[in-house]
Amino acid sequence: MTVADGALPIGGRAPASTRAVTTPKGWVPAYVVLLGAAFSLTAASWDIQWHIDVGPDTFFTLPHLFLYAGSALSGLASLAVVLMTTAARRNDRAIDATVGGRAVRVFGGTFAAPLGYLVSGTGSAGFLLYGLFDLWWHSLYGFDAVIASPPHIGLLLSITLSMVGAVMVFAAGMEHPWARVGAVLALIVTLAFSLVAAQGLEAFEGGPVDAIAVGVTFLTTLTVFTAVGFLRDTRLILGFGVAFALAQGLLWWFSPWATRAYAAGVGLPLRDYVPAAPLVPSQMPMSLLVAAVLTWGIMRAVGRRWTGPLAAPLTGLLVGALVTTCGLVQTILAYGHSLPSFLPLAPTVAVGALAGALAGFLGRRFAVMLRVMAPVASQEGR
């Protein structure tokens, strides 16, 4: 293992020479990747609202173009860092592991890619490839009005992977204030966009369990446990919950406004019946801050016992039941429906609680993985 690879044995201390910055200042490409991810999230919310309020569309619409532009921005920033890291390795210059994580060999050592940027770049590349699939799908079937089409699911999963890479990029530089703030924002964008992908579960609707509600619960609880276990700071965790609510409010305003403005600009009418609430922000759980505080409180209360095998799943069971119940009530109220008795909701709450238990188990481990992203010297300072 060479210093030029930027890879250090876990548990070892980084020599001073490896901390030299040979790629762009860490915050520059990191925030460009985050900006592209946020751009894609906003465009996706707009595009889905366009389908609902106006109807089917073709491939070349403004929301689609904004969606692809965001992914391209993240991909180009990731590619630039990979190329500069590769050049640094070939010139035997030290590679700073806080810029995107430890560098790994790609294509037999042809490239050296910081792990975070490798993941975000791969997600962006996959998105563009699925974009070609989506273009072919539109040319074959014409209008496209559903989320759960094969190219759309591939697109959503690809962007989610890119956003996970953004979280990893900031995790590598957590010794810096800009990275701690960026990690909070990246977790918010990742969760919000993954909830868009959860809409693909509509194909499993129709039974006693609301599949989308369970999917939203699983992804929310998974992200909450990851954020709490990774951030481990009361201010950052509260900031995570508050900033998520602000992002939800912004999308709640923007998605209908942009849809109406664009429809008026191209001369298309809105449908006679427009839902009372925009889809994407209405699916974002308003209970997130409560769930995060509850998880953090239990985590602090149990102390070292948190490392026990049952602590995270049992806490996840409780948080999952809370998020599912609040989510069902939130959806009912957002669309102006009357509250039903608890009995019809019970199967969904029960399955949501089990999904929360699994999410707690996985989220705790994902948090450990993110903490390992940072160089050891950085971890010791936190």
Side-chain angles (χ1 to χ4, degrees):
M1 186 176 298
T2 64
V3 171
D5 288 331
L8 297 171
I10 296 176
R13 185 180 296 275
S17 61
T18 66
R19 305 302 298 278
V21 179
T22 56
T23 51
K25 288 184 178 181
W27 69 270
V28 176
Y31 275 95
V32 172
V33 169
L34 179 59
L35 178 63
F39 214 61
S40 294
L41 168 63
T42 305
S45 180
W46 180 11
D47 183 55
I48 291 172
Q49 202 59 40
W50 175 268
H51 281 285
I52 294 172
D53 292 355
V54 178
D57 61 10
T58 58
F59 181 83
F60 295 102
T61 61
L62 198 56
H64 274 183
L65 297 179
F66 273 65
L67 187 63
Y68 283 93
S71 184
L73 185 62
S74 296
L76 290 173
S78 301
L79 178 61
V81 174
V82 170
L83 293 178
M84 296 187 73
T85 304
T86 301
R89 189 192 69 177
R90 290 180 178 178
N91 289 287
D92 293 324
R93 297 198 304 271
I95 296 173
D96 185 3
T98 66
V99 181
R102 297 172 177 85
V104 296
R105 297 178 182 271
V106 181
F107 297 131
T110 303
F111 298 98
L115 186 57
Y117 288 106
L118 176 62
V119 174
S120 64
T122 301
S124 297
F127 178 82
L128 296 178
L129 289 176
Y130 273 107
L132 296 177
F133 183 20
D134 192 37
L135 178 60
W136 172 82
W137 188 271
H138 277 276
S139 66
L140 186 64
Y141 296 106
F143 293 128
D144 193 354
V146 297
I147 296 177
S149 68
H152 283 177
I153 296 301
L155 289 167
L156 295 174
L157 293 178
S158 295
I159 302 183
T160 302
L161 179 62
S162 181
M163 294 177 181
V164 169
V167 176
M168 296 171 66
V169 166
F170 286 106
M174 285 294 283
E175 66 180 32
H176 303 294
W178 61 261
R180 292 192 286 273
V181 173
V184 170
L185 298 177
L187 284 166
I188 290 169
V189 173
T190 302
L191 172 58
F193 200 93
S194 67
L195 298 180
V196 178
Q199 300 305 311
L201 294 173
E202 64 183 359
F204 300 96
E205 294 286 281
V209 175
D210 187 329
I212 294 179
V214 172
V216 169
T217 294
F218 175 78
L219 293 169
T220 301
T221 308
L222 178 67
T223 306
V224 165
F225 271 78
T226 302
V228 167
F230 169 55
L231 298 174
R232 297 187 298 178
D233 182 281
T234 304
R235 292 169 301 176
L236 294 178
I237 292 169
L238 290 175
F240 170 67
V242 172
F244 184 85
L246 292 175
Q248 183 180 31
L250 180 62
L251 289 177
W252 203 296
W253 163 78
F254 175 79
S255 300
W257 173 83
T259 298
R260 291 193 298 268
Y262 183 43
V266 297
L268 291 177
L270 297 179
R271 285 176 167 170
D272 293 335
Y273 174 74
V274 175
L279 178 64
V280 172
S282 68
Q283 291 293 326
M284 295 168 65
M286 295 180 181
S287 60
L288 182 83
L289 179 57
V290 176
V293 170
L294 177 63
T295 303
W296 178 234
I298 295 176
M299 183 177 179
R300 292 290 296 272
V302 299
R304 291 185 177 181
R305 288 174 292 174
W306 178 255
T307 58
L310 295 179
L314 290 178
T315 305
L317 191 75
L318 176 62
V319 173
L322 169 69
V323 172
T324 305
T325 303
C326 292
L328 290 171
V329 173
Q330 173 183 321
T331 300
I332 291 170
L333 295 179
Y335 289 94
H337 301 153
S338 59
L339 286 173
S341 64
F342 180 74
L343 187 60
L345 307 180
T348 300
V349 174
V351 176
L354 293 176
L358 176 60
F361 173 81
L362 295 174
R364 175 172 168 267
R365 282 152 179 79
F366 289 165
V368 174
M369 293 167 63
L370 287 175
R371 291 202 298 269
V372 173
M373 284 289 300
V376 174
S378 173
Q379 295 180 41
E380 292 175 348
R382 292 180 59 199

